[in-house]
Amino acid sequence: MKTCQVHVTGIVQGVGFRPFVYGLALRYALAGWVCNTSSGVDIEIQGQEVAIQHFLAALQSEKPPLARLDSILATEIQGNDALHHFSIRESTSIADAFQPIPADVAICEDCRRELFDPQDRRYLYPFINCTNCGPRFTIIKDIPYDRPATTMAGFLLCPQCRTEYEDPLDRRFHAQPVACPNCGPHVWLPASEGKENERLDVLLQARRLLREGQILAIKGLGGFHLACDAGNPEAVETLRQRKGRVGKPFALMAADIATIEKHCFLLEAERNLLAGREKPIVLLKRQPGCSLPGSLAPRLDTIGMMLPYTPLHLLLMDQVDPVLAQEPAPSLLVMTSGNFSEEPISTDNKQAREHLAPLADAFLFHNREIHIRCDDSVIQVVEKPSWSKGKEQAASDHGARIVFFRRSRGYAPYPVNLPFQTRPTLAVGGELKNTFCISRDRYAFLSHHIGDMENAETHASFDQGIDHLSRLFRVNPEIIACDMHPGYFTTRWAQQEPYGTPPLLIQHHHAHIAACMADNELDDRKVIGLAFDGTGYGTDGTIWGGEVLVSDYQGFTRLAHLEYLPLPGGDSAIRHPWKIAIGYAHALGLDLTGLPVMRTLDPFAVKVIRLQTGKQLNTVLTSSMGRLFDAVAALAGVRTDVTYEAQAAIELEVLAGKYLEEAQPYPFQLQDEIIQLKSLLAAVIESIRQEEPPGRIGARFHKTIAQVALGSAGQARERTGLNEVVLSGGVWQNKLLLELTIAALEGSGFCVYTHHQTPTNDGGIALGQVAVANHMVL
């Protein structure tokens, strides 16, 4: 007989780990106990040595689907004669100890089956869940993860639910959000508030409102959505007008995979993402002749799709259940954030009722509190480009990579496991697509999506998020890291020294490359970093964004960059790409006379921009790759003004896709560590004069930038001997450019790293700030 103490770390609470351990102990006839603590799970087992070895092996190989084990430390101890059976002990709190916590998880197949079983007591209950699914991060107030430390604390379990909750062999053992119609949360429409047993009437009425073209504000898992029938052009346009969302695409929720396949192509990797437990929004290629209204995603050939991830979503969209079929529901809904543009998603019933009243025709509320808001995650799959595949690979997505546009629901706050130790650190991220990052030991906890730091409401959400994650993970920051840009809200916030520590200023693109290195768990070695981005404050006071770096976590050397060109009006020019085009052409001495785009512009306004550029009035210099895309899109007549970030570049990418096979790149020069742009832009202008279609110009330009990446990396390899290339920055969200560049680099023998756990845009730089800051203080 042997006795062994086991300590398990990782995501092991709220995922059915203790009943799993209990079942293993019974299987191998082991006595002892298991207990949740603030630092993980502690186990003591006693029995035959061979049984203990089988038990320890099964901990890893058979773990519950939501568990993520980082370490299993087993130590033999002196036997305890009091161990005669195996038990599950009450959770214990340990001062300053912490552990990762699970993200919110989509409804599992077992709960889905019960949801539509007329014989089940949770039939059509919108809050059905079990240990393997349901809310986690959005309802947790503290750890250990037990019901009293969640927003479910006020819902007292009925006898039947308590029996399930207390049975170690039940699927709902210590599932903290467990409930039923008799004891749990409920839904209501304001007109039915206070009525008894109104659940079915509420669901049927909500389905009818959606079918009739109404806009419904729906309280979900991490906040409110604004929903309407995606097949109703009038409803879509009304929502667009009310929300002030002029051209930005809407995300859709489909009743099932079959509905998505009617409108979009699906790779295997995309299908797996849609059907997985995280259920993010996935950007999919539209099929030719797609019947959906063009206003859902104007001038784009992709559309963001997701599947229902809560029981409430399923009840609103189900096409089969005979009771729900009394009110047929749309099979596709617009499902966009419940907010005005650029504001945080609403989470509170009272606040939503007041704030969203101008946007929604009706509200579908529930009374399960959302402790922390959490937007939907957005992902794109990038594959090996079809024109470089053999016939046998044409229908395969072998080697597909995922690109996060937004990492939030379903993924936050899962940690990134770091290849180095950190001190307690807070990195506050950037100004746009903000996330912050808290680190401790070898864990980096990248926050849920906060958003663009443009208003007081977002600032308050930022403060709340930092306070919440710092408390959950018991982090009192010793290191504060922020961006170098003096105008960022996050930089000014850090410089107020809220923790009594002066912040470390991290260069924006160094943080980008370091984030991708940490994302791929690279150790502190030098790599070639291609930071292609929109805006980042440089060490020389200019705006960088087309950077070729030799970088490690401790520092970087700037080997090459795009030629500096003027940005008239600074950041304000980003909304008016024509100003960038005029400024670039004037600085390079390029003649735009007679170009079609010039006939659409006010001659006086053009004169002002040229004067402003020539005299360097309210003009900054930039090496931004994002701004170069804007300039080319404007010159080609794709778009002169934008209503959302990168709109001109996105539309240029769409048009370019049709001309790739025939397109030849434009010339460019890499001279004295500067990527010269005059010959490139002169060739673009000549193509316009030759009346080449904008799509062909776009295809040639994309191929040119891929060659810029290859040429720059090749020159860096010659100088340094390095062969690893790290791609980071918002421009790498461009699927076409990323595919071309990866193919070119790998074809030349480079090892290419891209983000796969965190966003390549500014939503990932806080991770890089953590990595750089901790190496700066070594």
Side-chain angles (χ1 to χ4, degrees):
M1 297 289 287
K2 299 284 186 180
T3 304
C4 196
Q5 280 187 346
V6 184
H7 182 64
V8 185
T9 65
I11 298 172
V12 288
Q13 294 187 21
V15 295
F17 195 73
R18 286 180 301 168
F20 160 68
V21 170
Y22 181 88
L24 285 184
L26 295 184
R27 181 199 302 175
Y28 294 113
L30 297 171
W33 51 266
V34 59
C35 175
N36 278 347
T37 76
S38 303
S39 64
V41 170
D42 285 339
I43 307 167
E44 187 168 319
I45 46 175
Q46 185 178 86
Q48 296 293 329
E49 182 174 4
V50 66
I52 290 177
Q53 294 304 318
H54 286 309
F55 173 90
L56 293 174
L59 278 182
Q60 180 66 55
S61 62
E62 301 179 27
K63 64 182 182 293
L66 301 184
R68 299 187 183 187
L69 275 54
D70 293 331
S71 68
I72 302 174
L73 179 62
T75 306
E76 187 175 341
I77 63 172
Q78 186 174 350
N80 182 350
D81 294 337
L83 299 178
H84 302 295
H85 63 280
F86 198 88
S87 64
I88 297 177
R89 293 185 174 179
E90 290 292 321
S91 300
T92 61
S93 182
I94 302 173
D96 296 327
F98 81 105
Q99 60 164 338
I101 60 175
D104 299 290
V105 184
I107 183 172
C108 68
E109 287 304 312
D110 288 330
C111 285
R112 182 172 182 150
R113 184 172 56 254
E114 292 173 351
L115 180 67
F116 293 108
D117 179 0
Q119 305 306 313
D120 194 278
R121 68 190 188 91
R122 293 185 176 91
Y123 176 53
L124 304 184
Y125 180 55
F127 304 97
I128 188 172
N129 68 88
C130 71
T131 306
N132 298 320
C133 67
R136 300 290 196 275
F137 176 57
T138 51
I139 65 169
I140 293 173
K141 292 184 174 182
D142 206 347
I143 58 172
Y145 174 49
D146 289 319
R147 195 175 180 102
T150 75
T151 62
M152 290 295 294
F155 296 98
L156 301 180
L157 293 168
C158 68
Q160 287 175 289
C161 286
R162 180 158 293 283
T163 298
E164 295 170 327
Y165 183 82
E166 294 177 348
D167 181 357
L169 300 181
D170 192 282
R171 197 176 90 248
R172 292 188 168 90
F173 176 75
H174 279 217
Q176 307 307 339
V178 69
C180 74
N182 295 322
C183 64
H186 67 278
V187 293
W188 73 91
L189 292 157
S192 65
E193 192 170 350
K195 293 182 179 179
E196 296 293 331
N197 302 317
E198 80 286 353
R199 180 174 83 254
L200 180 58
D201 289 341
V202 167
L203 293 171
L204 293 177
Q205 185 178 351
R207 290 165 64 96
R208 176 176 58 79
L209 292 173
L210 290 167
R211 188 182 70 247
E212 292 176 350
Q214 300 292 296
I215 296 169
L216 195 57
I218 302 169
K219 187 177 182 181
L221 197 62
F224 278 81
H225 283 108
L226 293 168
C228 70
D229 181 357
N232 184 326
E234 291 78 17
V236 173
E237 184 57 33
T238 298
L239 177 56
R240 196 172 281 287
Q241 290 177 0
R242 290 182 185 177
K243 195 170 178 180
R245 194 171 177 135
V246 178
K248 196 172 182 178
F250 283 132
L252 306 187
M253 181 176 282
D256 48 40
I257 285 280
T259 300
I260 294 177
E261 289 181 315
K262 292 177 182 177
H263 304 284
C264 301
F265 296 108
L266 271 183
L267 295 167
E268 182 182 352
E270 293 166 338
R271 183 187 302 273
N272 292 339
L273 282 168
L274 287 164
R277 64 177 64 100
E278 295 88 2
K279 288 194 168 48
I281 298 168
V282 182
L283 300 182
L284 302 174
K285 188 87 167 179
R286 287 195 192 205
Q287 292 192 25
C290 172
S291 61
L292 293 174
S295 58
L296 292 169
R299 302 177 72 172
L300 302 185
D301 62 352
T302 58
I303 195 157
M305 291 277 195
M306 60 179 161
L307 290 175
Y309 54 87
T310 71
L312 179 58
H313 293 140
L314 285 169
L315 295 173
L316 291 174
M317 303 192 71
D318 179 75
Q319 310 293 303
V320 176
D321 184 84
V323 173
L324 295 176
Q326 298 174 52
E327 291 288 357
S331 61
L332 273 171
L333 295 177
V334 170
M335 197 68 78
T336 190
S337 299
N339 57 3
F340 283 94
S341 294
E342 312 311 329
E343 292 184 358
I345 186 172
S346 294
T347 58
D348 175 75
N349 289 345
K350 183 176 183 295
Q351 187 265 350
R353 195 177 214 165
E354 296 170 353
H355 199 60
L356 301 182
L359 305 180
D361 298 307
F363 289 82
L364 182 57
F365 293 121
H366 66 70
N367 61 334
R368 185 177 65 201
E369 179 190 347
I370 298 169
H371 186 64
I372 202 78
R373 60 174 47 86
C374 206
D375 295 76
D376 295 316
S377 296
V378 183
I379 292 178
Q380 180 172 256
V381 172
V382 175
E383 59 166 344
K384 192 173 181 181
S386 57
W387 56 89
S388 67
K389 294 178 180 177
K391 289 182 180 179
E392 71 282 357
Q393 294 177 292
S396 169
D397 61 348
H398 176 70
R401 304 178 185 226
I402 67 168
V403 177
F404 276 94
F405 283 47
R406 181 196 297 160
R407 180 186 183 270
S408 203
R409 178 190 52 77
Y411 299 92
Y414 282 142
V416 175
N417 292 321
L418 298 173
F420 48 83
Q421 285 282 342
T422 68
R423 288 163 55 184
T425 304
L426 167 63
V428 296
E431 190 77 355
L432 301 179
K433 303 179 182 66
N434 178 267
T435 63
F436 60 87
C437 188
I438 287 176
S439 77
R440 182 173 173 178
D441 300 339
R442 287 177 176 259
Y443 289 122
F445 300 97
L446 194 65
S447 78
H448 53 294
H449 173 75
I450 303 296
D452 295 350
M453 308 300 289
E454 296 185 350
N455 50 60
E457 292 83 2
T458 309
H459 298 169
S461 179
F462 173 80
D463 286 334
Q464 179 201 17
I466 289 176
D467 178 70
H468 183 55
L469 263 65
S470 298
R471 186 174 62 256
L472 280 182
F473 302 124
R474 309 299 194 250
V475 174
N476 184 21
E478 298 174 6
I479 300 172
I480 309 294
C482 66
D483 197 273
M484 291 178 59
H485 198 303
Y488 281 4
F489 166 82
T490 49
T491 302
R492 297 195 304 271
W493 186 93
Q495 288 173 335
Q496 293 174 5
E497 301 185 16
Y499 295 93
T501 303
L504 299 175
L505 305 182
I506 313 298
Q507 200 281 322
H508 189 88
H509 300 100
H510 185 202
H512 265 303
I513 300 304
C516 190
M517 291 175 66
D519 191 324
N520 287 278
E521 298 186 49
L522 302 186
D523 58 20
D524 188 26
R525 60 180 183 263
K526 292 189 182 298
V527 298
I528 300 167
L530 300 183
F532 288 2
D533 197 25
T535 298
Y537 193 77
T539 56
D540 58 1
T542 63
I543 302 301
W544 292 7
E547 313 307 312
V548 182
L549 310 177
V550 170
S551 178
D552 55 20
Y553 292 124
Q554 297 186 54
F556 69 94
T557 301
R558 194 184 189 201
L559 283 193
H561 60 86
L562 288 185
E563 178 177 5
Y564 282 134
L565 289 171
L567 191 63
D571 286 346
S572 66
I574 296 172
R575 296 187 294 273
H576 309 287
W578 71 268
K579 294 183 179 181
I580 303 171
I582 297 297
Y584 280 18
H586 184 75
L588 294 171
L590 299 173
D591 181 16
L592 303 181
T593 304
L595 294 190
V597 68
M598 299 303 292
R599 295 193 289 271
T600 69
L601 302 176
D602 178 359
F604 179 75
V606 171
K607 183 177 180 181
V608 168
I609 294 300
R610 286 173 172 161
L611 180 65
Q612 185 178 2
T613 302
K615 294 185 176 292
Q616 298 183 6
L617 299 172
N618 189 27
T619 297
V620 297
L621 293 176
T622 183
S623 60
S624 167
M625 183 65 78
R627 301 294 77 80
L628 179 61
F629 269 83
D630 289 341
V632 171
L635 288 171
V638 174
R639 181 167 288 278
T640 54
D641 300 283
V642 300
T643 61
Y644 63 89
E645 184 187 15
Q647 184 179 11
I650 292 169
E651 293 181 3
L652 180 67
E653 178 190 357
V654 171
L655 295 172
K658 303 173 185 177
Y659 294 90
L660 277 176
E661 294 195 26
E662 63 183 75
Q664 296 299 315
Y666 291 116
F668 71 93
Q669 283 78 44
L670 179 54
Q671 182 178 348
D672 297 328
E673 301 180 356
I674 306 296
I675 302 164
Q676 305 283 344
L677 298 178
K678 184 171 183 176
S679 60
L680 166 56
L681 290 178
V684 168
I685 292 167
E686 181 58 28
S687 290
I688 298 169
R689 295 195 193 283
Q690 296 298 321
E691 299 184 351
E692 287 188 37
R696 182 177 291 125
I697 294 169
R700 297 184 67 184
F701 176 68
H702 278 77
K703 284 195 170 181
T704 305
I705 301 306
Q707 290 302 304
V708 167
L710 177 61
S712 302
Q715 185 182 78
R717 179 164 59 183
E718 290 177 5
R719 290 180 56 181
T720 65
L722 299 173
N723 199 55
E724 293 178 305
V725 179
V726 170
L727 307 181
S728 188
V731 169
W732 296 116
Q733 291 178 144
N734 183 315
K735 182 177 181 179
L736 177 56
L737 178 64
L738 186 58
E739 289 176 346
L740 287 166
T741 302
I742 291 172
L745 289 170
E746 291 184 342
S748 294
F750 285 101
C751 177
V752 182
Y753 294 101
T754 59
H755 291 258
H756 63 96
Q757 299 181 81
T758 60
T760 190
N761 57 40
D762 284 6
I765 65 167
L767 174 62
Q769 291 172 351
V770 162
V772 173
N774 275 274
H775 283 79
M776 288 175 66
V777 299
L778 289 177

